[in-house]
Amino acid sequence: MKQKLLIAFLIFFLAQGVSAKEERIRFNLKFGLFKGGEAELTVTDTVYEGRPAIHYHVLGRTTGLAEKLYGVYDIYETTVDAETHLPLKTIRSVKEGNYRRYNETFFFHDNDSIFSQRSGGRKVPENLVDIISVFFYFVHSQDVGKMVSGDGVTYPTINADKISDVSVRYLREEVVETDIGKVDCYVLNPAVEKGKVLERSDGIRFYMSKEKKLPVYITFEMKVGALKAVIRSYEIDGVEQITD
């Protein structure tokens, strides 16, 4: 038993490159000049079934008046393979007003299938991603620096147990002024089903740091107005970072 435990620890530390890294980005969510919520993205090196992986944890919640009118507390978690950046497991925990939804989904890319706790097992398109990993998969699998405006890729993407195509287009490079300094960014434009919230299917802009490949600014054109996720802090292993 002790030998198995020792081997497990050795696998963990070797896979991590001796020490794990955790990056944490906090955002303010604003409707115009008014703050309506907060979001937090945590990216952690980890191990999944004995192989190096990356864990993305996204928390979004309302604050202040918005919390009193319609409370939201959503958590999205995605574990991806550290080499391929394809998802291995996702967790979706949604609390919006009186609505509740929880699901875990496991991905088996060797035979293009998934298992969802809500709907069971099924075959899926090759290289299926989820709504969180799609953006990171794009910036890690494409040579974005060589793209020209309008270039993009379409991926089969699962969200809320439903699979649809999500297209991610490269628009341009832009230097963004933030509370942590100036950040050189790629501006990406995902096109998703607009549903009941978005004004247009392409009404989202992701400003991804060229260096870190992490978002620092996101805009949404919603039917009720413009929503912005504005970075307010960035930490590595608990130490706050300043880029400028």
Side-chain angles (χ1 to χ4, degrees), residues 83-174:
E83 182 178 355
T84 67
H85 289 89
L86 288 170
L88 303 169
K89 177 184 177 180
T90 65
I91 298 175
R92 186 172 187 254
S93 178
V94 175
K95 298 178 181 179
E96 299 177 355
N98 294 322
Y99 176 77
R100 300 290 186 271
R101 182 184 179 94
Y102 181 90
N103 192 31
E104 296 185 16
T105 304
F106 300 85
F107 295 72
F108 306 99
H109 295 285
D110 55 342
N111 62 7
D112 296 326
S113 65
I114 62 171
F115 179 82
S116 163
Q117 289 184 343
R118 295 185 68 92
S119 60
R122 55 176 156 152
K123 298 292 287 184
V124 295
E126 184 179 7
N127 293 337
L128 179 70
V129 292
D130 76 298
I131 199 63
I132 299 299
S133 63
V134 60
F135 306 105
F136 301 106
Y137 184 67
F138 176 82
V139 296
H140 284 94
S141 64
Q142 304 295 318
D143 191 349
V144 183
K146 294 184 179 179
M147 287 184 165
V148 299
S149 181
D151 285 352
V153 184
T154 299
Y155 302 107
T157 305
I158 188 167
N159 182 37
D161 231 19
K162 179 182 177 181
I163 297 175
S164 58
D165 285 339
V166 171
S167 298
V168 183
R169 290 190 304 146
Y170 166 79
L171 296 183
R172 61 185 180 276
E173 295 183 12
E174 186 173 326

Side-chain angles (χ1 to χ4, degrees), residues 3-43:
Q3 186 179 19
K4 290 183 179 179
L5 185 61
L6 177 60
I7 291 172
F9 273 112
L10 285 172
I11 290 174
F12 177 82
F13 283 111
L14 287 173
Q16 293 294 333
V18 180
S19 62
K21 182 177 72 172
E22 179 182 271
E23 298 176 90
R24 189 184 304 271
I25 303 176
R26 294 183 176 91
F27 299 86
N28 286 327
L29 304 180
K30 297 182 178 181
F31 284 99
L33 298 176
F34 300 98
K35 179 180 175 180
E38 298 173 343
E40 182 176 284
L41 166 64
T42 305
V43 184

Side-chain angles (χ1 to χ4, degrees), residues 157-220:
T157 305
I158 188 167
N159 182 37
D161 231 19
K162 179 182 177 181
I163 297 175
S164 58
D165 285 339
V166 171
S167 298
V168 183
R169 290 190 304 146
Y170 166 79
L171 296 183
R172 61 185 180 276
E173 295 183 12
E174 186 173 326
V175 177
V176 179
E177 292 272 5
T178 76
D179 288 344
I180 64 168
K182 296 179 181 179
V183 183
D184 288 330
C185 294
Y186 295 123
V187 184
L188 308 179
N189 175 214
V192 299
E193 292 185 358
K194 67 178 183 178
K196 299 179 181 179
V197 177
L198 290 176
E199 179 68 23
R200 307 196 328 262
S201 62
D202 63 347
I204 305 175
R205 298 289 187 274
F206 262 73
Y207 294 74
M208 303 282 286
S209 165
K210 293 169 61 176
E211 178 186 2
K212 300 295 184 181
K213 293 183 170 62
L214 294 171
V216 299
Y217 182 59
I218 311 169
T219 64
F220 304 85

